[in-house]
Amino acid sequence: MEHHFAQRIGRVRPSAIRQLLQLGDDPSITSFGGGYPDPTLFPLDQLRSVYDHVLREQGRTALQYTATAGIPELRERIEDRMGRDGVDCSAEDVLVLQGAQQGLDLVAKLLINSGDVIITENPTFLGALVAFAPYEPDYAPVTMDKDGIDTDLLEWVLANTPRAKFIYVIPDFQNPTGVTLSLERRHRLLELANQHDIIVLEDTPYRELRFEGEQLPTLKSLDTEGRVIHLGSFSKTLAPGVRMGYAVASPTILTKLELLKLAADTQSSTLNMTATARFLTEFDLDAHLEAVRPVYRAKRDAMLSTMAETFPADVKYTRPQGGLFTWVTFPEDFDSARFMAEYSLPQARVAYVPGGTFFPMTQAAHYARFSYASVQQEEMVAGVRRLGHLLTGSGDARRSSLSSTLP
């Protein structure tokens, strides 16, 4: 039978990188690929207590339908956390989502017609590109440095991109680079957005995982014109399986996002919303995060120190102040995808995410994203060591991984 699918499905393609990473399911492989939090840090006892109480005492309402925007108790807890982070909002300004990933889809659905332009960091979050793709956008990627998106180049892009509809940024410990947008550039980005009357989509799933340095204000807290859509998530702070995220935006924007969510899924899980609200009421999420952050810092330090000891001198990597990732830069003639397929996986038994797929337009083969979060530290150090020895000890491996495409 011949199926006549919509044209947009042609924009959503399986990634060759995903196919490579399926090999990471092999328990003999050390995978730095997924952006998963450390499962040993999940607050299992507290969550068990919360769900037991909710089902026992509130089961008939917690298993029922509820409002699309989310239950009031959870929206109020999110309002409180946003207020303590400098954002002046009410519970009415909060839309509960099936993880922040749903927010990426809803915003693109709200704003993008085929051929409209999304301005992104370069590189940017692969999951965002997957979410945006069905709406057939074009992209205007803006290069980054150690201080985040280049706002001088952003100014030029805004002046020369009439169909730009929104700027998508991850200001804190960006995925994939781990870089944080500087305070000066946060102010400049919003100044340019105001000047060009463009919406800013701020994605902050890693914000509360800062383990060194000064916490910088969210773009939403600096927003004076109601143009920032702020996406937050409990996936990296509580547990991803709960699937709780949220959007905070002006009433005009939020009302329309709520309508789109109603059409997509009616509502997020009443049970999970009720449990999350109770967790935030009965337990101290900030205390939990205080215990989590040093673990991630120790893992980052272990990964980077092992890279420093074992990787060739011409391989560079970022030093994030939080989050889950470091971004590795190989020499320009190196193909990280080919090297992983032909050497890293079969010989070192190590997987990572080759970096080309994070670029919206022109892919660059000589980058890779490494996550230090989910692999336990001893295994992580051993895996980085094996990879480092392979990179330094095999001239044939490096020569055969010069820029080329996978067959």
Side-chain angles (χ1 to χ4, degrees), residues 251-337:
T252 302
I253 294 173
L254 202 76
T255 299
K256 291 180 172 56
L257 291 176
E258 183 179 346
L259 288 172
L260 292 172
K261 179 173 172 62
L262 173 64
D265 66 2
T266 306
Q267 60 162 94
S268 297
S269 161
T270 312
L271 175 62
N272 288 347
M273 286 192 286
T274 307
T276 303
R278 180 166 179 81
F279 183 97
L280 295 173
T281 301
E282 295 297 316
F283 298 102
D284 189 341
L285 179 59
D286 293 320
H288 171 66
L289 291 171
E290 284 298 318
V292 162
R293 293 182 188 111
V295 176
Y296 286 134
R297 178 173 181 157
K299 287 187 170 190
R300 179 212 60 183
D301 290 347
M303 175 172 277
L304 298 191
S305 64
T306 308
M307 286 179 172
E309 293 169 7
T310 63
F311 278 22
D314 58 358
V315 177
K316 310 298 181 184
Y317 37 85
T318 58
R319 182 182 176 83
Q321 295 184 318
L324 307 181
F325 310 108
T326 184
W327 183 241
V328 177
T329 303
F330 297 96
E332 289 189 8
D333 58 359
F334 186 85
D335 188 325
S336 66

Coordinates of all heavy atoms in Angstrom, one line a residue, residues 251-337:
P251 N 0.9 36.7 28.9 CA -0.4 36.1 28.8 C -0.8 35.9 27.3 O -1.4 34.9 26.9 CB -1.3 37.1 29.4 CG -0.5 37.8 30.5 CD 0.9 37.9 29.8
T252 N -0.4 36.9 26.4 CA -0.8 36.7 25.0 C -0.2 35.5 24.4 O -0.8 34.7 23.7 CB -0.3 38.0 24.2 OG1 -0.9 39.1 24.8 CG2 -0.7 37.9 22.8
I253 N 1.1 35.2 24.7 CA 1.8 34.1 24.2 C 1.3 32.8 24.9 O 1.0 31.8 24.2 CB 3.3 34.2 24.3 CG1 3.8 35.4 23.5 CG2 4.0 32.9 24.0 CD1 5.3 35.7 23.7
L254 N 1.2 32.8 26.2 CA 0.9 31.6 26.9 C -0.5 31.1 26.6 O -0.7 29.9 26.5 CB 1.0 31.9 28.4 CG 1.2 30.6 29.3 CD1 2.6 30.2 29.1 CD2 0.8 30.9 30.7
T255 N -1.5 32.0 26.4 CA -2.8 31.5 26.0 C -2.8 30.7 24.7 O -3.5 29.7 24.6 CB -3.7 32.8 25.9 OG1 -3.8 33.5 27.1 CG2 -5.2 32.3 25.5
K256 N -2.0 31.2 23.8 CA -2.0 30.5 22.5 C -1.2 29.1 22.6 O -1.6 28.1 22.0 CB -1.4 31.4 21.4 CG -2.3 32.5 21.0 CD -1.6 33.4 20.0 CE -2.6 34.5 19.5 NZ -3.2 35.3 20.6
L257 N -0.2 29.1 23.4 CA 0.6 27.9 23.7 C -0.4 26.9 24.4 O -0.3 25.7 24.1 CB 1.8 28.1 24.5 CG 3.0 28.9 23.8 CD1 4.1 29.1 24.9 CD2 3.5 28.1 22.6
E258 N -1.2 27.3 25.3 CA -2.1 26.5 26.0 C -3.1 25.8 25.0 O -3.5 24.6 25.1 CB -2.9 27.2 27.0 CG -3.8 26.4 27.9 CD -4.5 27.2 29.0 OE1 -4.1 28.3 29.2 OE2 -5.5 26.7 29.5
L259 N -3.6 26.6 24.0 CA -4.5 26.1 23.0 C -3.8 25.0 22.2 O -4.4 23.9 21.9 CB -5.0 27.2 22.1 CG -6.0 28.2 22.7 CD1 -6.3 29.3 21.7 CD2 -7.3 27.5 23.1
L260 N -2.6 25.2 21.8 CA -1.8 24.2 21.1 C -1.6 22.9 21.9 O -1.6 21.8 21.4 CB -0.5 24.8 20.6 CG -0.7 25.9 19.5 CD1 0.7 26.5 19.2 CD2 -1.3 25.3 18.2
K261 N -1.3 23.1 23.2 CA -1.1 21.9 24.0 C -2.4 21.2 24.2 O -2.5 19.9 24.1 CB -0.6 22.4 25.4 CG -0.4 21.1 26.4 CD 0.2 21.5 27.7 CE 0.2 20.3 28.6 NZ 0.9 19.2 28.1
L262 N -3.6 21.9 24.3 CA -4.9 21.2 24.3 C -5.1 20.3 23.1 O -5.5 19.2 23.2 CB -6.0 22.3 24.4 CG -7.4 21.8 24.3 CD1 -7.7 20.9 25.5 CD2 -8.4 22.9 24.2
A263 N -4.7 20.9 22.0 CA -4.8 20.1 20.7 C -3.9 18.9 20.7 O -4.2 17.9 20.1 CB -4.6 21.0 19.5
A264 N -2.7 19.1 21.3 CA -1.7 18.0 21.2 C -1.9 16.9 22.2 O -1.8 15.7 21.8 CB -0.3 18.6 21.5
D265 N -2.2 17.2 23.4 CA -2.3 16.1 24.4 C -3.3 16.3 25.5 O -3.3 15.6 26.5 CB -0.9 15.8 25.0 CG -0.4 17.0 25.9 OD1 -1.1 18.0 26.0 OD2 0.7 16.9 26.4
T266 N -4.1 17.3 25.4 CA -5.1 17.7 26.4 C -4.5 18.3 27.7 O -4.9 19.4 28.1 CB -6.1 16.5 26.8 OG1 -6.6 16.0 25.6 CG2 -7.2 17.0 27.7
Q267 N -3.5 17.6 28.2 CA -2.9 18.0 29.5 C -1.7 17.1 29.8 O -1.6 16.0 29.2 CB -3.9 17.9 30.6 CG -4.4 16.4 30.8 CD -5.0 16.1 32.1 OE1 -6.2 16.2 32.3 NE2 -4.2 15.7 33.1
S268 N -0.9 17.5 30.7 CA 0.1 16.7 31.2 C -0.5 15.7 32.3 O -1.6 16.0 32.8 CB 1.3 17.5 31.8 OG 1.9 18.3 30.9
S269 N 0.2 14.7 32.7 CA -0.3 13.7 33.6 C -0.7 14.4 34.9 O 0.1 15.0 35.6 CB 0.8 12.7 33.9 OG 0.5 12.0 35.1
T270 N -2.0 14.2 35.3 CA -2.4 14.7 36.6 C -1.7 14.1 37.7 O -1.3 14.7 38.7 CB -3.9 14.5 36.8 OG1 -4.6 14.9 35.6 CG2 -4.5 15.3 37.9
L271 N -1.4 12.8 37.6 CA -0.7 12.1 38.7 C 0.7 12.6 38.9 O 1.1 12.9 40.0 CB -0.6 10.6 38.3 CG 0.2 9.7 39.3 CD1 -0.4 9.7 40.7 CD2 0.3 8.3 38.8
N272 N 1.4 12.8 37.8 CA 2.8 13.3 37.9 C 2.8 14.8 38.3 O 3.7 15.2 39.1 CB 3.5 13.1 36.6 CG 3.8 11.7 36.3 OD1 3.7 10.8 37.2 ND2 4.2 11.3 35.1
M273 N 1.9 15.6 37.9 CA 1.8 17.0 38.4 C 1.5 17.0 39.8 O 2.2 17.8 40.6 CB 0.7 17.7 37.6 CG 1.1 18.1 36.2 SD 0.0 19.3 35.4 CE -1.5 18.3 35.1
T274 N 0.6 16.2 40.3 CA 0.2 16.2 41.7 C 1.4 15.7 42.6 O 1.7 16.3 43.6 CB -1.0 15.3 42.0 OG1 -2.1 15.7 41.1 CG2 -1.5 15.4 43.4
A275 N 2.1 14.7 42.1 CA 3.3 14.2 42.8 C 4.4 15.2 42.9 O 5.1 15.4 43.9 CB 3.7 12.9 42.2
T276 N 4.6 15.9 41.7 CA 5.7 16.9 41.7 C 5.4 18.0 42.6 O 6.3 18.5 43.3 CB 5.9 17.4 40.3 OG1 6.2 16.3 39.4 CG2 7.0 18.4 40.2
A277 N 4.1 18.5 42.6 CA 3.7 19.6 43.5 C 3.9 19.2 45.0 O 4.4 20.0 45.8 CB 2.3 19.9 43.2
R278 N 3.6 17.9 45.3 CA 3.7 17.5 46.7 C 5.2 17.4 47.0 O 5.6 17.7 48.1 CB 3.0 16.2 46.9 CG 3.2 15.7 48.3 CD 2.3 14.6 48.7 NE 2.5 14.1 50.1 CZ 2.0 14.8 51.2 NH1 1.3 15.8 51.0 NH2 2.3 14.3 52.4
F279 N 6.0 16.9 46.1 CA 7.5 16.8 46.4 C 8.0 18.2 46.7 O 8.8 18.4 47.7 CB 8.2 16.2 45.2 CG 9.7 16.1 45.4 CD1 10.2 14.8 45.8 CD2 10.6 17.1 45.2 CE1 11.6 14.7 46.0 CE2 11.9 17.0 45.5 CZ 12.4 15.7 45.8
L280 N 7.6 19.2 45.9 CA 8.1 20.6 46.1 C 7.6 21.2 47.4 O 8.2 22.1 47.9 CB 7.7 21.4 44.9 CG 8.4 21.1 43.6 CD1 7.8 21.9 42.4 CD2 9.9 21.2 43.6
T281 N 6.5 20.7 47.9 CA 5.9 21.2 49.2 C 6.5 20.5 50.4 O 6.8 21.1 51.4 CB 4.4 21.0 49.1 OG1 3.8 21.7 48.0 CG2 3.8 21.5 50.4
E282 N 6.7 19.1 50.3 CA 7.0 18.3 51.4 C 8.6 18.2 51.6 O 9.1 18.0 52.7 CB 6.4 16.9 51.3 CG 4.9 17.0 51.4 CD 4.4 17.5 52.8 OE1 5.0 17.1 53.8 OE2 3.5 18.3 52.8
F283 N 9.3 18.3 50.5 CA 10.7 18.1 50.5 C 11.5 19.3 50.0 O 10.9 20.2 49.3 CB 11.1 16.8 49.7 CG 10.5 15.6 50.2 CD1 9.4 15.0 49.6 CD2 11.0 15.0 51.4 CE1 8.8 13.8 50.1 CE2 10.5 13.8 51.9 CZ 9.4 13.2 51.3
D284 N 12.7 19.3 50.2 CA 13.5 20.5 49.8 C 14.3 20.2 48.6 O 15.4 19.5 48.6 CB 14.5 20.9 51.0 CG 15.2 22.2 50.8 OD1 15.3 22.7 49.6 OD2 15.7 22.7 51.8
L285 N 13.8 20.6 47.4 CA 14.5 20.4 46.2 C 15.9 21.0 46.2 O 16.9 20.5 45.6 CB 13.7 20.9 45.0 CG 14.3 20.7 43.6 CD1 14.6 19.2 43.3 CD2 13.4 21.3 42.5
D286 N 16.0 22.2 46.8 CA 17.3 22.9 46.8 C 18.3 22.1 47.6 O 19.5 22.0 47.2 CB 17.1 24.3 47.4 CG 16.3 25.2 46.5 OD1 16.5 25.1 45.2 OD2 15.5 26.0 47.0
A287 N 17.9 21.5 48.7 CA 18.8 20.6 49.4 C 19.3 19.4 48.6 O 20.4 19.0 48.7 CB 18.2 20.2 50.7
H288 N 18.3 18.9 47.9 CA 18.7 17.8 47.0 C 19.7 18.2 46.0 O 20.7 17.5 45.7 CB 17.4 17.2 46.3 CG 17.7 16.3 45.2 ND1 18.2 15.0 45.4 CD2 17.5 16.4 43.8 CE1 18.3 14.4 44.3 NE2 17.9 15.2 43.3
L289 N 19.5 19.4 45.4 CA 20.5 19.9 44.4 C 21.8 20.2 45.0 O 22.9 20.0 44.3 CB 19.9 21.2 43.7 CG 18.7 20.9 42.8 CD1 18.0 22.2 42.4 CD2 19.1 20.1 41.6
E290 N 21.8 20.6 46.2 CA 23.1 20.9 46.9 C 23.9 19.6 47.1 O 25.1 19.6 47.0 CB 22.9 21.5 48.3 CG 22.5 22.9 48.3 CD 23.6 23.8 47.7 OE1 24.8 23.6 48.0 OE2 23.3 24.7 46.9
A291 N 23.2 18.5 47.2 CA 23.9 17.2 47.2 C 24.3 16.7 45.9 O 25.3 16.0 45.7 CB 23.0 16.1 47.9
V292 N 23.6 17.0 44.8 CA 23.8 16.5 43.5 C 25.0 17.3 42.8 O 25.8 16.7 42.2 CB 22.5 16.7 42.6 CG1 22.8 16.7 41.1 CG2 21.5 15.7 43.0
R293 N 25.1 18.6 43.0 CA 26.0 19.4 42.3 C 27.5 18.9 42.5 O 28.3 18.9 41.5 CB 25.9 20.9 42.7 CG 24.6 21.5 42.2 CD 24.5 22.9 42.5 NE 23.2 23.5 42.2 CZ 22.3 23.9 43.2 NH1 22.7 23.9 44.4 NH2 21.2 24.4 42.8
P294 N 27.9 18.7 43.7 CA 29.3 18.2 43.9 C 29.6 16.9 43.2 O 30.8 16.7 42.8 CB 29.4 18.0 45.4 CG 28.3 18.9 46.0 CD 27.2 18.8 45.0
V295 N 28.6 16.1 43.0 CA 28.9 14.8 42.3 C 29.2 15.1 40.8 O 30.1 14.6 40.3 CB 27.6 13.9 42.4 CG1 27.8 12.6 41.6 CG2 27.3 13.5 43.9
Y296 N 28.4 16.0 40.2 CA 28.7 16.3 38.8 C 30.0 17.1 38.7 O 30.7 16.9 37.7 CB 27.5 17.2 38.3 CG 26.3 16.3 38.0 CD1 25.0 16.8 38.4 CD2 26.3 15.1 37.4 CE1 23.9 16.0 38.2 CE2 25.2 14.4 37.1 CZ 24.0 14.8 37.6 OH 22.8 14.1 37.3
R297 N 30.3 17.9 39.6 CA 31.6 18.6 39.6 C 32.7 17.7 39.6 O 33.7 17.8 38.8 CB 31.7 19.7 40.7 CG 33.0 20.4 40.7 CD 33.1 21.5 41.7 NE 34.4 22.2 41.7 CZ 34.6 23.4 42.1 NH1 33.6 24.1 42.6 NH2 35.8 23.9 42.0
A298 N 32.7 16.7 40.5 CA 33.7 15.7 40.6 C 33.8 14.9 39.3 O 35.0 14.6 38.9 CB 33.5 14.8 41.8
K299 N 32.7 14.6 38.7 CA 32.8 13.8 37.4 C 33.4 14.7 36.3 O 34.2 14.2 35.5 CB 31.3 13.4 37.1 CG 30.8 12.3 37.9 CD 29.5 11.8 37.4 CE 29.0 10.5 38.0 NZ 27.9 9.9 37.3
R300 N 33.0 16.0 36.3 CA 33.6 16.8 35.3 C 35.1 16.9 35.5 O 35.8 16.8 34.5 CB 33.0 18.2 35.4 CG 33.6 19.2 34.4 CD 33.6 20.7 34.9 NE 34.4 20.8 36.1 CZ 34.5 21.9 36.8 NH1 33.9 23.0 36.3 NH2 35.2 22.0 37.9
D301 N 35.5 17.1 36.7 CA 36.9 17.2 37.0 C 37.6 16.0 36.6 O 38.7 16.0 36.0 CB 37.1 17.5 38.5 CG 36.7 18.9 38.9 OD1 36.4 19.8 38.0 OD2 36.6 19.2 40.1
A302 N 37.0 14.8 36.9 CA 37.7 13.5 36.5 C 37.8 13.4 35.0 O 38.8 12.9 34.5 CB 36.9 12.4 37.2
M303 N 36.7 13.7 34.3 CA 36.8 13.6 32.8 C 37.8 14.5 32.2 O 38.7 14.1 31.4 CB 35.4 13.9 32.2 CG 35.4 13.8 30.7 SD 33.8 14.0 29.9 CE 33.3 12.2 30.0
L304 N 37.8 15.8 32.6 CA 38.7 16.7 32.0 C 40.2 16.5 32.4 O 41.1 16.6 31.6 CB 38.3 18.2 32.4 CG 36.9 18.6 31.9 CD1 36.8 20.1 32.2 CD2 36.7 18.3 30.5
S305 N 40.4 16.1 33.6 CA 41.8 15.8 34.0 C 42.3 14.6 33.3 O 43.5 14.5 32.9 CB 41.9 15.6 35.6 OG 41.2 14.5 36.0
T306 N 41.5 13.6 33.1 CA 41.9 12.4 32.3 C 42.1 12.7 30.9 O 43.1 12.2 30.2 CB 40.8 11.3 32.4 OG1 40.5 11.0 33.8 CG2 41.4 10.0 31.8
M307 N 41.3 13.6 30.3 CA 41.5 14.1 28.9 C 42.9 14.8 28.8 O 43.6 14.6 27.9 CB 40.4 15.0 28.5 CG 39.1 14.3 28.1 SD 37.8 15.5 27.6 CE 36.5 14.3 27.1
A308 N 43.1 15.6 29.9 CA 44.4 16.4 29.9 C 45.6 15.4 29.9 O 46.6 15.7 29.3 CB 44.4 17.3 31.0
E309 N 45.4 14.3 30.6 CA 46.6 13.4 30.8 C 46.8 12.5 29.5 O 47.9 12.2 29.2 CB 46.3 12.5 32.0 CG 46.3 13.2 33.3 CD 45.8 12.2 34.4 OE1 45.5 11.0 34.1 OE2 45.6 12.7 35.5
T310 N 45.7 12.2 28.8 CA 45.8 11.2 27.8 C 45.5 11.6 26.4 O 45.9 10.9 25.4 CB 44.8 10.0 28.2 OG1 43.4 10.5 28.1 CG2 45.1 9.4 29.5
F311 N 44.7 12.7 26.2 CA 44.4 13.2 24.8 C 45.6 13.9 24.2 O 46.4 14.5 24.9 CB 43.2 14.1 24.8 CG 41.9 13.4 24.9 CD1 41.8 12.1 25.4 CD2 40.7 14.0 24.5 CE1 40.5 11.4 25.4 CE2 39.5 13.4 24.5 CZ 39.4 12.1 25.0
P312 N 45.7 13.9 22.9 CA 46.8 14.7 22.3 C 46.6 16.1 22.5 O 45.5 16.6 22.8 CB 46.6 14.4 20.8 CG 45.8 13.1 20.7 CD 44.9 13.1 21.9
A313 N 47.8 16.9 22.5 CA 47.7 18.3 22.8 C 46.9 19.1 21.9 O 46.4 20.2 22.2 CB 49.2 18.8 22.8
D314 N 46.7 18.6 20.7 CA 45.9 19.4 19.7 C 44.4 19.1 19.8 O 43.6 19.6 19.0 CB 46.4 19.2 18.3 CG 46.3 17.7 17.8 OD1 45.9 16.8 18.7 OD2 46.6 17.4 16.7
V315 N 44.0 18.4 20.8 CA 42.5 18.2 21.1 C 42.2 19.1 22.3 O 42.7 19.0 23.3 CB 42.2 16.7 21.4 CG1 40.8 16.5 21.7 CG2 42.6 15.8 20.2
K316 N 41.1 19.9 22.1 CA 40.7 20.9 23.1 C 39.3 20.5 23.6 O 38.6 19.8 22.9 CB 40.7 22.3 22.5 CG 42.0 22.7 21.8 CD 43.2 22.7 22.7 CE 44.5 23.1 22.0 NZ 45.7 22.9 22.8
Y317 N 39.0 21.1 24.7 CA 37.7 20.8 25.3 C 37.3 22.0 26.2 O 38.1 22.7 26.7 CB 37.6 19.5 26.1 CG 38.9 19.2 26.8 CD1 39.1 19.8 28.1 CD2 40.0 18.5 26.3 CE1 40.3 19.6 28.8 CE2 41.2 18.3 26.9 CZ 41.3 18.9 28.2 OH 42.5 18.7 28.9
T318 N 35.9 22.2 26.3 CA 35.4 23.2 27.2 C 35.4 22.8 28.6 O 35.4 21.6 28.9 CB 34.0 23.7 26.8 OG1 33.2 22.5 26.9 CG2 34.0 24.2 25.3
R319 N 35.5 23.8 29.5 CA 35.4 23.5 31.0 C 34.1 24.2 31.5 O 34.1 25.3 31.9 CB 36.6 24.1 31.7 CG 36.6 23.8 33.2 CD 37.8 24.5 33.9 NE 37.7 24.3 35.3 CZ 38.1 23.1 36.0 NH1 38.6 22.1 35.3 NH2 38.0 23.0 37.3
P320 N 33.0 23.4 31.4 CA 31.7 24.0 31.9 C 31.7 24.3 33.4 O 32.3 23.5 34.2 CB 30.7 23.0 31.5 CG 31.5 21.7 31.4 CD 32.8 22.1 31.0
Q321 N 30.9 25.3 33.8 CA 30.7 25.6 35.2 C 29.5 24.9 35.8 O 29.1 25.1 36.9 CB 30.6 27.1 35.4 CG 31.9 27.8 35.1 CD 31.8 29.3 35.4 OE1 30.7 29.9 35.1 NE2 32.8 29.9 36.0
G322 N 28.9 24.1 35.0 CA 27.7 23.3 35.4 C 27.2 22.5 34.2 O 27.8 22.4 33.2
G323 N 26.0 21.9 34.4 CA 25.4 21.1 33.4 C 26.0 19.7 33.3 O 26.6 19.2 34.2
L324 N 25.9 19.2 32.1 CA 26.2 17.7 31.9 C 27.3 17.5 30.8 O 27.7 16.3 30.6 CB 24.9 17.0 31.5 CG 23.7 17.1 32.4 CD1 22.6 16.2 31.9 CD2 24.0 16.7 33.8
F325 N 27.7 18.5 30.1 CA 28.5 18.2 28.9 C 29.8 19.0 28.8 O 29.9 20.2 29.2 CB 27.7 18.6 27.6 CG 26.3 18.0 27.6 CD1 25.2 18.8 27.8 CD2 26.1 16.6 27.4 CE1 23.9 18.3 27.8 CE2 24.8 16.1 27.4 CZ 23.7 16.9 27.6
T326 N 30.8 18.4 28.1 CA 31.9 19.2 27.6 C 32.0 18.9 26.1 O 31.5 17.9 25.5 CB 33.2 18.7 28.2 OG1 34.3 19.5 27.7 CG2 33.6 17.3 27.9
W327 N 32.5 19.9 25.4 CA 32.5 20.0 23.9 C 34.0 19.8 23.5 O 34.8 20.6 23.8 CB 32.0 21.3 23.4 CG 31.8 21.5 21.9 CD1 32.4 22.5 21.2 CD2 31.0 20.8 21.0 NE1 32.0 22.5 19.9 CE2 31.1 21.5 19.7 CE3 30.1 19.8 21.1 CZ2 30.5 21.0 18.6 CZ3 29.4 19.3 20.0 CH2 29.6 20.0 18.7
V328 N 34.3 18.8 22.7 CA 35.6 18.4 22.4 C 35.9 18.9 20.9 O 35.1 18.6 20.0 CB 35.9 16.9 22.5 CG1 37.3 16.5 22.0 CG2 35.7 16.5 24.0
T329 N 37.0 19.6 20.7 CA 37.4 20.0 19.4 C 38.6 19.3 18.9 O 39.7 19.4 19.6 CB 37.6 21.5 19.4 OG1 36.5 22.2 19.8 CG2 38.0 22.0 18.0
F330 N 38.5 18.5 17.9 CA 39.7 17.8 17.3 C 40.3 18.7 16.2 O 39.7 19.7 15.8 CB 39.2 16.5 16.7 CG 38.7 15.5 17.7 CD1 37.3 15.5 17.9 CD2 39.5 14.7 18.4 CE1 36.8 14.6 18.8 CE2 39.0 13.8 19.4 CZ 37.6 13.7 19.6
P331 N 41.4 18.4 15.7 CA 42.0 19.1 14.5 C 41.0 19.2 13.4 O 40.1 18.3 13.2 CB 43.2 18.4 14.1 CG 43.6 17.7 15.4 CD 42.4 17.4 16.1
E332 N 41.0 20.2 12.5 CA 40.0 20.5 11.5 C 39.9 19.3 10.5 O 38.8 19.2 9.9 CB 40.2 21.8 10.8 CG 39.9 23.0 11.7 CD 40.0 24.3 11.0 OE1 40.1 24.3 9.7 OE2 39.9 25.4 11.6
D333 N 40.9 18.6 10.3 CA 40.9 17.5 9.3 C 40.5 16.2 9.9 O 40.6 15.1 9.2 CB 42.2 17.4 8.6 CG 43.4 17.1 9.6 OD1 43.1 17.0 10.8 OD2 44.5 16.9 9.1
F334 N 39.9 16.2 11.1 CA 39.5 14.9 11.8 C 38.0 14.7 11.7 O 37.3 15.7 11.8 CB 39.9 15.1 13.2 CG 39.8 13.8 14.1 CD1 40.7 12.8 14.1 CD2 38.6 13.6 14.8 CE1 40.6 11.7 14.8 CE2 38.5 12.5 15.6 CZ 39.5 11.5 15.6
D335 N 37.6 13.5 11.4 CA 36.2 13.2 11.3 C 35.8 12.3 12.6 O 36.1 11.2 12.6 CB 35.9 12.4 10.0 CG 34.4 12.2 9.8 OD1 33.7 12.0 10.8 OD2 34.0 12.2 8.6
S336 N 35.1 13.0 13.5 CA 34.8 12.3 14.8 C 33.8 11.2 14.6 O 33.9 10.2 15.3 CB 34.3 13.3 15.8 OG 33.1 13.8 15.5
A337 N 32.9 11.3 13.6 CA 31.9 10.2 13.4 C 32.6 9.0 12.8 O 32.4 7.8 13.3 CB 30.8 10.7 12.5

